[in-house]
Amino acid sequence: MLILALSVCLAQDPANCKVVQLPFFAEHVPASQCARYGEPEAQRWLKDHPGWVLRKSMCVPSSAPETEA
């Protein structure tokens, strides 16, 4: 299973960033397609969390530890 990891920062305080990990909904999506299929999930998270902006996103295995933003 893949995790969609979003590096997001506060719009009003761009130095205040964090990594948000979203379990990826499609377990059988190849890693090469994760970013394409994960984009709507990232947009949905941003819509539900106004005030945050997306810095970058990446797909990582679910066993990967959280990283710094």
Side-chain angles (χ1 to χ4, degrees):
M1 181 182 215
L2 294 173
I3 296 289
L4 182 62
L6 307 177
S7 176
V8 295
C9 301
L10 283 172
Q12 298 298 320
D13 183 8
N16 187 354
C17 301
K18 66 180 181 176
V19 173
V20 176
Q21 294 186 347
L22 305 176
F24 199 56
F25 64 94
E27 291 185 30
H28 302 292
V29 170
S32 62
Q33 296 294 312
C34 180
R36 177 177 166 220
Y37 289 102
E39 186 175 334
E41 294 300 309
Q43 293 303 316
R44 190 174 0 263
W45 188 93
L46 290 169
K47 182 181 176 187
D48 291 342
H49 298 85
W52 291 91
V53 293
L54 182 63
R55 188 168 151 197
K56 68 179 179 177
S57 66
M58 66 193 97
C59 297
V60 296
S62 61
S63 60
E66 272 193 43
T67 60
E68 292 288 318

